[in-house]
Amino acid sequence: MCGIVGYIGYREAFPIVIKGLRRLEYRGYDSAGVMLYDGNELVVCKTKGKVADLEERCKDTTTAGATIGMGHTRWATHGVPNDVNSHPHLSNSGELAIIHNGIIENYEPLKKELINRGYTFKSDTDTEVLVNLIEDVQKTQNLKLGKAVQVALRQVIGAYAICVFDIKKPNEIIVARLGSPLAIGVGENEYFIASDASPFIEYTTNAIYLEDEEIAVIRLGKKLKVRKIKDDSLVDPYVQKLQMNLEQIEKGGYDHFMLKEIYEQPSVIKDTYRGRLLADQGIIRMAGIEDNLERFVNAERILIVACGTSWHAGLVAEYVIEEFTRIPVEVEYASEFRYRNPIINKGDVVIAISQSGETADTLAAIKLAKENGAFVFGVCNVVGSSISRETHAGAYTHAGPEIGVASTKAFTTQITVLTMIALRIAQAKGTLNHTDYRRYLQELERIPEQVKEALESNDVAKEIAAVFKDAPNCLYLGRGYNFPVALEGALKLKEISYIHAEGYPAAEMKHGPIALIDEMMPVVVIAPKQGHYDKVVSNIQEIKSRSGKIIAVVTKGDTQVRDLADYVIEIPETSDALSPLITTIPLQLLSYHIAVFRGCNVDQPRNLAKSVTVE
Ligand code: M6R
């Protein structure tokens, strides 16, 4: 939800900022802008559109010589995407520049107050209010920039990660965060600032992740100073050594990040269980679980909170955890949970699932659960993310950076982690017999190979995509473990191809959606041999007798469904409980190819952003 980049050092800032913005474009891409300072002049160049449009717009702008710069790629909240609403924003004097990720919720009263005091506004953004508030504080209270930002932020309600530059203090940039991520790359005589570490990984692996309610004064030639915004206390910043490398955040020969990430699944699933799953010895060992095993074993209920694809992984987990451990599980949209006065008991364990670890609603749900005394466990991908820090304990998915807005490898690695958790609890509780437990471990270990095999369906998925690329609607049906997969398949299609799609439990179809079926309606049915196969076959027959076009995902060698379906995609056989890890693959490929055929921007679908850090 907006990407911010900053640089202060001895190199040319413009190329660093532009490259950084390209890496952060997954966070938002409806407009972009840069601010540069070369020691004399403060230059701002911004435009509606993508970073490529920004480069075009900046062609005639003098960028050389500037060694201080800030850039922003936007996902609009306040004010439509246009040139004026793009960041950076300047204060009325033109001396202060700001870039901002987040929302200032009380911007209207603040704006009114500033207007009364003679300030004028060019944009409709909350950000322009903030920069003028800082200027006002600076002037009226005669404060240095850092202090003025701090005092202004104390008046703000909402979320922010900001960079502020003052032409009068050309050796420093002030950064602060509350609820939106902000990382500082520490180099030799240079600093980098970004929403995540990807823009600066090629320059430095030393990073400081600012915590909520912290402000840092980044001054050239001086040690970084971090303070708490509220009480002004000094904080000793922790410099992390980053593990990520450049290759992980580039496309590596694939046309799109999404395709690269789909194909990474065999290796990242292996990374997810590496060192945790010792199938031959019958061991599952995850530090976050071992340290809190009693809580899980004695849990009266497990509540799962998440959004989007992560919520679908939560639904798969509901089936797996209940089946293996007999602990009741409830899965909640974090956005609903946080506002509905939910019943949270002390004996509940809350699992929060999030790829980015920054989703605002999930974070708020975690805070609510903690306030009510629950133990909260995080399943996150991004190391050091807000959710991973906010939870009592957790397990990383180790999927590596996911850049494509449509989640793919995050989903399967989340399911892998959650399945391991279920198996470990079941073993400790004795709710799964030893033979089954060992069998699941062996099967889980084989999943990467089977995902590889499932990826061989790429050509078939592409052929089917060519047939249905112009379909206005699409239904996805599955039962049991594969009902959440049907939801996920539909979400993937919707978000990247803009085709209306719905996922349903196959048997629910006759309670309404069956009315939609005619010869124009493609229906994707997930029908692996294990599970409720015969029931799904009956559902397929119901669709067929109403002339629906059936695309079936079947187990290799299946003949019964093949005879009924118009198109089949074969996948290797695994047990019902693990099948979502395999059945998901062809659905990801199908949506990918449909979106490509339709000429859609697969990695940056319209209106979306990778991490939703606003509610
Ligand atoms: O980072 P999170 O897992 O918390 O994100 C949750 C959703 O925003 C995310 O899964 C979204 O639905 C994806 N675009 C789905 O592909």
Side-chain angles (χ1 to χ4, degrees):
M1 202 79 7
C2 298
I4 62 177
V5 189
Y7 177 75
I8 180 163
Y10 56 88
R11 306 179 204 236
E12 259 198 35
F14 185 67
I16 294 173
V17 171
I18 287 290
K19 208 193 243 183
L21 287 181
R22 269 195 237 114
R23 297 226 173 103
L24 290 181
E25 219 173 3
Y26 71 88
R27 299 180 63 86
Y29 34 80
D30 56 44
S31 43
V34 289
M35 178 234 88
L36 297 162
Y37 184 69
D38 64 1
N40 287 311
E41 209 190 340
L42 189 149
V43 173
V44 169
C45 175
K46 54 189 193 172
T47 182
K48 176 178 182 219
K50 301 195 177 241
V51 177
D53 301 305
L54 176 68
E55 279 185 274
E56 188 60 32
R57 173 64 61 93
C58 296
K59 258 188 181 157
D60 301 327
T61 308
T62 314
T63 58
T67 53
I68 297 180
M70 309 192 313
H72 188 269
T73 176
R74 181 169 186 246
W75 186 84
T77 54
H78 294 78
V80 295
N82 62 25
D83 292 1
V84 179
N85 288 335
S86 313
H87 299 212
H89 289 282
L90 296 182
S91 62
N92 274 195
S93 70
E95 292 177 342
L96 302 190
I98 191 170
I99 50 173
H100 168 217
N101 166 27
I103 290 183
I104 309 301
E105 286 171 14
N106 59 335
Y107 83 104
E108 283 191 72
L110 292 171
K111 187 172 183 176
K112 261 190 205 140
E113 178 63 27
L114 287 166
I115 290 171
N116 288 342
R117 299 161 68 76
Y119 284 84
T120 56
F121 293 88
K122 295 191 179 109
S123 76
D124 304 318
T125 65
D126 48 347
T127 307
E128 197 187 5
V129 175
L130 181 56
V131 71
N132 281 305
L133 178 67
I134 296 168
E135 178 155 289
D136 190 57
V137 169
Q138 199 182 29
K139 286 194 172 145
T140 55
Q141 302 185 33
N142 194 21
L143 293 174
K144 283 185 178 168
L145 179 65
K147 277 282 165 285
V149 174
Q150 201 173 345
V151 171
L153 289 177
R154 288 183 192 146
Q155 299 177 46
V156 157
I157 300 170
Y160 51 78
I162 54 166
C163 294
V164 186
F165 175 75
D166 182 350
I167 198 165
K168 303 189 289 311
K169 298 288 266 173
N171 279 337
E172 69 182 35
I173 291 180
I174 310 293
V175 297
R177 80 157 266 181
L178 174 62
S180 302
L182 196 141
I184 303 168
V186 184
E188 285 278 325
N189 298 321
E190 59 183 346
Y191 288 102
F192 305 81
I193 302 145
S195 300
D196 68 41
S198 61
F200 57 74
I201 192 71
E202 66 202 89
Y203 306 105
T204 180
T205 50
N206 296 325
I208 295 169
Y209 287 90
L210 225 56
E211 298 285 342
D212 270 350
E213 300 192 343
E214 284 181 359
I215 182 167
V217 177
I218 302 174
R219 191 172 300 150
L220 268 186
K222 288 266 166 68
K223 204 171 159 249
L224 193 90
K225 270 215 176 114
V226 182
R227 288 178 184 277
K228 282 283 171 204
I229 292 170
K230 270 198 194 135
D231 63 12
D232 201 37
S233 55
L234 266 175
V235 175
D236 197 12
Y238 168 61
V239 184
Q240 270 192 36
K241 256 283 167 260
L242 298 173
Q243 303 297 334
M244 174 199 293
N245 62 43
L246 195 58
E247 205 177 77
Q248 284 178 305
I249 51 171
E250 292 188 333
K251 277 191 210 150
Y254 288 91
D255 287 344
H256 298 96
F257 280 112
M258 182 183 176
L259 192 61
K260 176 188 172 220
E261 287 156 9
I262 290 173
Y263 272 88
E264 276 174 355
Q265 288 173 109
S267 72
V268 294
I269 292 174
K270 220 178 243 174
D271 291 342
T272 303
Y273 68 55
R274 180 165 294 126
R276 293 165 159 175
L277 168 71
L278 308 170
D280 290 348
Q281 298 166 52
I283 292 174
I284 286 183
R285 193 174 52 194
M286 301 165 86
I289 297 293
E290 293 311 314
D291 295 347
N292 300 285
L293 196 57
E294 283 303 297
R295 285 182 192 275
F296 281 97
V297 167
N298 297 324
E300 280 154 29
R301 187 174 60 145
I302 292 179
L303 280 164
I304 297 181
V305 290
C307 303
T309 288
S310 298
W311 185 77
H312 295 155
L315 286 182
V316 174
E318 178 183 14
Y319 283 78
V320 181
I321 296 172
E322 287 199 347
E323 172 80 26
F324 291 176
T325 72
R326 310 313 295 154
I327 300 171
V329 180
E330 281 169 37
V331 189
E332 299 250 9
Y333 284 117
S335 54
E336 288 297 311
F337 181 83
R338 64 181 288 194
Y339 285 121
R340 68 169 190 81
N341 193 14
I343 298 165
I344 307 166
N345 301 317
K346 289 235 163 18
D348 290 341
V349 167
V350 174
I351 301 181
I353 311 172
S354 174
Q355 186 286 130
S356 62
E358 301 294 345
T359 300
D361 284 321
T362 310
L363 254 174
I366 292 167
K367 288 180 183 158
L368 180 68
K370 280 171 70 182
E371 276 160 26
N372 283 275
F375 169 74
V376 187
F377 188 89
V379 175
C380 292
N381 187 36
V382 178
V383 177
S385 55
S386 303
I387 292 178
S388 68
R389 292 197 307 255
E390 191 63 46
T391 41
H392 293 113
Y396 285 118
T397 50
H398 299 308
E402 192 182 63
I403 310 290
V405 165
S407 227
T408 51
K409 60 177 181 170
F411 181 63
T412 44
T413 52
Q414 285 165 346
I415 296 174
T416 305
V417 163
L418 293 158
T419 304
M420 286 194 289
I421 293 175
L423 284 165
R424 179 65 185 103
I425 305 171
Q427 185 203 25
K429 284 189 78 163
T431 42
L432 194 63
N433 75 52
H434 189 64
T435 316
D436 286 345
Y437 170 78
R438 293 296 290 251
R439 180 173 53 82
Y440 279 122
L441 262 53
Q442 303 283 354
E443 281 194 32
L444 199 53
E445 201 177 40
R446 279 200 300 275
I447 289 290
E449 276 314 306
Q450 294 186 310
V451 170
K452 213 182 253 174
E453 220 180 309
L455 286 166
E456 287 166 15
S457 65
N458 185 49
D459 290 347
V460 182
K462 192 169 175 183
E463 281 164 27
I464 301 172
V467 178
F468 292 104
K469 67 180 177 18
D470 297 319
N473 298 292
C474 190
L475 269 180
Y476 285 74
L477 304 178
R479 292 182 87 124
Y481 289 99
N482 282 297
F483 159 53
V485 176
L487 294 178
E488 174 60 9
L491 176 63
K492 285 292 86 92
L493 188 68
K494 277 187 266 212
E495 67 180 332
I496 61 169
S497 72
Y498 318 140
I499 292 176
H500 171 245
E502 296 294 338
Y504 265 93
E508 264 302 296
M509 197 189 47
K510 50 185 158 312
H511 298 283
I514 201 163
L516 294 168
I517 290 176
D518 60 17
E519 63 285 355
M520 305 297 288
M521 176 66 95
V523 186
V524 180
V525 190
I526 307 156
K529 232 351 180 225
Q530 306 273 349
H532 314 282
Y533 181 74
D534 294 337
K535 303 281 173 203
V536 178
V537 170
S538 308
N539 298 135
I540 291 176
Q541 258 146 354
E542 290 157 10
I543 304 162
K544 193 159 174 71
S545 45
R546 285 155 185 91
S547 310
K549 291 278 170 289
I550 298 156
I551 304 155
V553 176
V554 299
T555 306
K556 244 178 203 151
D558 180 290
T559 50
Q560 200 178 351
V561 173
R562 184 176 281 276
D563 288 346
L564 293 169
D566 297 272
Y567 304 89
V568 293
I569 306 178
E570 289 192 330
I571 50 156
E573 182 163 7
T574 189
S575 64
D576 197 18
L578 301 187
S579 66
L581 289 164
I582 312 291
T583 51
T584 302
I585 308 297
L587 305 193
Q588 293 171 343
L589 290 167
L590 189 64
S591 0
Y592 170 78
H593 288 298
I594 291 179
V596 172
F597 279 128
R598 287 166 72 87
C600 297
N601 188 337
V602 172
D603 285 332
Q604 296 171 350
R606 70 183 180 206
N607 303 339
L608 287 173
K610 181 69 184 162
S611 59
V612 184
T613 55
V614 292
E615 61 171 298

